[in-house]
Amino acid sequence: PFFKKRYKDIELFATAPKKPLYIFIPALGIEFRCSMRLSNMSLKKAIENEKGCIHPKAAGDLDYKAIHLPSQELNNKEFGYTIADVVGLYEYIENKLKNENDTLFSIPLTSTGYVRRIVRKNCLKNKDYRRIFLNTRLDADVLMMLYDAARGGNTHANPAMANRILHDLDSFDAVSEYPYIDVTKQFPMSQFQYYGDVASMSELNYLLNTYACLFTCVFVNLRVKKNQPVAYFSFDKQKGFTGPIRFDNGRVLSCGDDKQDGAIALTLTDVDFKLMRDIYEWDQIAIGSMHIAQYGYLPEEIREVIMDLFREKCELKREIKLLEDEYRKTKDPKTLEELENTKYLYAKKKNLLNGIFGMMYTKPVHPDIYLDENLEYQEKELSIGDLKEKLDEYYTSYNSFLNYAWGVWTTAHARAHLQKLINATNDESKGNVFVYGDTDSSKCIINDYQVIDDLNKTIIEECEKLGAYCDVDGKRYYLGVFEMETDEKHGKYQFFKTLGAKKYVYQDLEGLHTTIAGVNKDKAPGELKDIENFKPGFTFYDAGGKTLFYNLCEPQVKVIEGEEITITNNIAMIDSTYNVHLTMDYSQLLISYQIEEEFDI
């Protein structure tokens, strides 16, 4: 707003209100960019992970409650802190340009831009790639359905195991899950064609088993099967419902009950529907707006980059271990320097590999964000006509080479991959109990480890068939296999407690750990002190961090401590606390499970 008011003519590109990616001011010839979107890290982490940066971000926090007037000088600590931020950011950008052979004209806007140009360059080696890309063109209706069907990773707790301290848990994690999905699974590789309504289950099963399907589905009297520990879909993805609904921390347990029928509508892919079929049961369904496309593997040029990055990552990880062993023996400074350089290269390759999914999951069309006459951010809702126009621009540009549907199917396949792990770690007959899952991992009480070996065996067979592996120093590394995180160094989770998604604590051989959205991981264990304290009502004060408020106001003069100060648009920073709590619905659900267990219902 300041630039708009002062210079009138500005070029703004924002991904959301108050989140500009860049602002260009023609009158000055200056373009401001968001450095955080370039690194996708905090300034501290960005500086630490960029080769050549020698001035770290200042440690500790400034006293943000202290009043600083324009006439007052900063003390040495305050001055040093602000200088360190500026110098650190300057060095980060300077070294980023050098390390990536970039100029200010070629540097990407976001972190995914680096892997995007690597993949684009490899794709364009194939003179036929442009035809392949255009053959997958999305129309406006399909794009809106894809936006409705898009979901992230499956992150949820087993409500039967929540709000209780559990003992001796293991944790399993998939190796490079999204790269595994993109190399081994099939995706829509043609334009979606409108099929219409589906009249019978046999017709639906044929389509599901033959094509990549995108459709709407209305479920009548939907309910989770008794043997399933996790409800699958979030209520915020529904397209309309009637009747009573039971929730599991935002997930739908059922729609309809013994007294009143219920119905709920969703937009699904074929992968999602098959998961719904495994996790839920229902009385009736109706399928409409069916769109189908031909299935196929992602272009070889994309899979080739994924496997090259995976191999390089594995080679560097092996080299790091060798250099660490050598440095422990010799304490040679040259070895240490080589080790630090190898760690930098490893982090770089890992970020590139992980960025491939983000690159494909980027929406091809964004709403226009602009400043209105009152200098407030507004988001223009896109009409079908706007979508068609922007899609024409996307497919006309020779910089465009990705199909957004590939990103949507990547997350759907990933949820299916995690479900295999959930099922394997939730078999009462074998003494296995699933407790908590997050995108590519499972926290569980497990007595029969053979189920993991059997699951990995099928994944390895698939990887062998499709070349989803690399050989480094005589050892073969596979994508997608489930590895045990609770190793000899960390030990099992001696104690574990969850209160829902992104809200758990555990204790292992290294001590107490917390994963709570909005709470500082480093400070929280010291403040919590004991896992027994992690319960509704506990408040994190120091670990709660800061909350920022954006204030838009006309310039006005305020007298503060006798000094006149002009106040205009500003950000207010206040201490934030985090109070551990449960919603009423979730609390009642957990109580119901405890009652069922107590009376063995």
Side-chain angles (χ1 to χ4, degrees), residues 163 497 499 533-539 579-582 587 590:
N163 200 20
K497 184 177 182 180
L499 293 174
N533 297 325
F534 183 58
K535 54 189 175 184
F538 183 87
T539 299
N579 180 259
V580 178
H581 70 283
L582 302 177
S587 180
L590 301 189

Side-chain angles (χ1 to χ4, degrees), residues 351-483:
N351 289 337
L352 288 172
L353 183 62
N354 293 338
I356 287 179
F357 161 67
M359 170 191 76
M360 290 197 294
Y361 202 52
T362 301
K363 292 181 178 180
V365 173
H366 295 273
D368 290 326
I369 310 293
Y370 64 97
L371 292 170
D372 64 15
E373 62 276 8
N374 297 317
L375 303 183
E376 293 186 358
Y377 279 95
Q378 300 293 340
E379 181 174 329
K380 180 185 177 184
E381 187 174 340
L382 294 177
S383 66
I384 291 295
D386 294 329
L387 279 174
K388 289 179 178 178
E389 183 179 336
K390 287 182 175 289
L391 280 171
D392 284 341
E393 292 174 3
Y394 180 76
Y395 286 103
T396 301
S397 171
Y398 275 81
N399 284 327
S400 303
F401 68 106
L402 294 170
N403 180 359
Y404 178 67
W406 298 343
V408 174
W409 254 257
T410 295
T411 59
H413 282 308
R415 293 189 294 273
H417 191 57
L418 177 64
Q419 191 63 38
K420 294 177 182 177
L421 180 61
I422 291 174
N423 294 341
T425 57
N426 195 66
D427 188 340
E428 288 186 13
S429 67
K430 299 181 183 295
N432 298 337
V433 180
F434 168 81
V435 176
Y436 182 89
D438 188 345
T439 306
D440 61 355
S441 66
S442 169
K443 321 293 185 189
C444 51
I445 299 168
I446 187 162
N447 291 291
D448 184 358
Y449 292 90
Q450 186 61 44
V451 294
I452 303 297
D453 292 338
D454 292 343
L455 178 56
N456 280 337
K457 183 179 178 182
T458 63
I459 296 170
I460 288 171
E461 289 173 353
E462 178 186 41
C463 290
E464 286 281 357
K465 178 182 176 182
L466 296 169
Y469 62 84
C470 67
D471 295 320
V472 177
D473 197 24
K475 182 178 179 180
R476 180 156 289 186
Y477 296 86
Y478 295 97
L479 288 167
V481 293
F482 292 105
E483 292 185 335

Side-chain angles (χ1 to χ4, degrees), residues 92 146 179 311 369 379 394 399 472 495 580 593-594 597:
Y92 167 72
L146 287 170
R311 185 190 68 255
I369 310 293
E379 181 174 329
Y394 180 76
N399 284 327
V472 177
F495 304 103
V580 178
Y593 276 102
Q594 292 168 2
E597 183 178 274

Side-chain angles (χ1 to χ4, degrees), residues 173-327:
D173 181 79
V175 175
S176 299
E177 180 174 64
Y178 285 150
Y180 157 74
I181 295 299
D182 289 336
V183 171
T184 62
K185 304 305 178 186
Q186 296 199 34
F187 296 81
M189 290 303 297
S190 71
Q191 282 189 309
F192 280 94
Q193 301 296 322
Y194 181 72
Y195 182 89
D197 296 340
V198 178
S200 66
M201 282 303 301
S202 60
E203 184 180 7
L204 175 61
N205 288 331
Y206 168 76
L207 294 172
L208 293 173
N209 293 326
T210 309
Y211 299 102
C213 300
L214 181 66
F215 55 96
T216 58
C217 184
V218 178
F219 297 91
V220 177
N221 294 334
L222 183 77
R223 63 260 181 198
V224 170
K225 294 179 180 178
K226 288 186 177 181
N227 65 329
Q228 287 295 337
V230 175
Y232 181 64
F233 77 94
S234 299
F235 179 72
D236 61 7
K237 298 304 293 185
Q238 56 84 22
K239 301 297 294 177
F241 75 98
T242 61
I245 293 185
R246 289 183 66 231
F247 294 101
D248 170 8
N249 206 20
R251 301 284 180 93
V252 174
L253 281 171
S254 64
C255 181
D257 56 26
D258 294 338
K259 298 179 180 178
Q260 183 181 352
D261 288 344
I264 193 163
L266 300 170
T267 302
L268 300 171
T269 69
D270 55 287
V271 180
D272 289 304
F273 183 85
K274 290 173 182 177
L275 284 168
M276 292 287 292
R277 190 170 55 191
D278 291 341
I279 296 169
Y280 291 90
E281 56 190 4
W282 51 81
D283 290 347
Q284 293 177 307
I285 59 169
I287 306 295
S289 298
M290 173 67 76
H291 290 73
I292 59 175
Q294 296 292 332
Y295 257 135
Y297 292 104
L298 288 181
E300 177 61 30
E301 292 76 18
I302 295 177
R303 292 185 290 141
E304 183 178 72
V305 173
I306 292 173
M307 290 313 303
D308 285 346
L309 289 172
F310 180 66
R311 185 190 68 255
E312 291 168 1
K313 174 189 162 187
C314 291
E315 290 172 346
L316 290 165
K317 189 174 184 179
R318 169 69 174 165
E319 191 174 342
I320 287 171
K321 186 179 185 307
L322 295 174
L323 288 169
E324 286 177 337
D325 291 342
E326 183 180 345
Y327 181 68

Side-chain angles (χ1 to χ4, degrees), residues 26-41:
L28 299 179
I30 294 176
E31 183 172 295
F32 294 88
R33 292 191 180 184
C34 178
S35 57
M36 187 172 182
R37 294 292 295 275
L38 176 67
S39 65
N40 201 28
M41 303 177 194

Side-chain angles (χ1 to χ4, degrees), residues 99-100 309 343-353:
N99 295 333
E100 303 292 344
L309 289 172
K343 286 183 176 179
Y344 161 74
L345 292 173
Y346 174 79
K348 180 178 176 180
K349 297 299 180 184
K350 183 178 179 181
N351 289 337
L352 288 172
L353 183 62

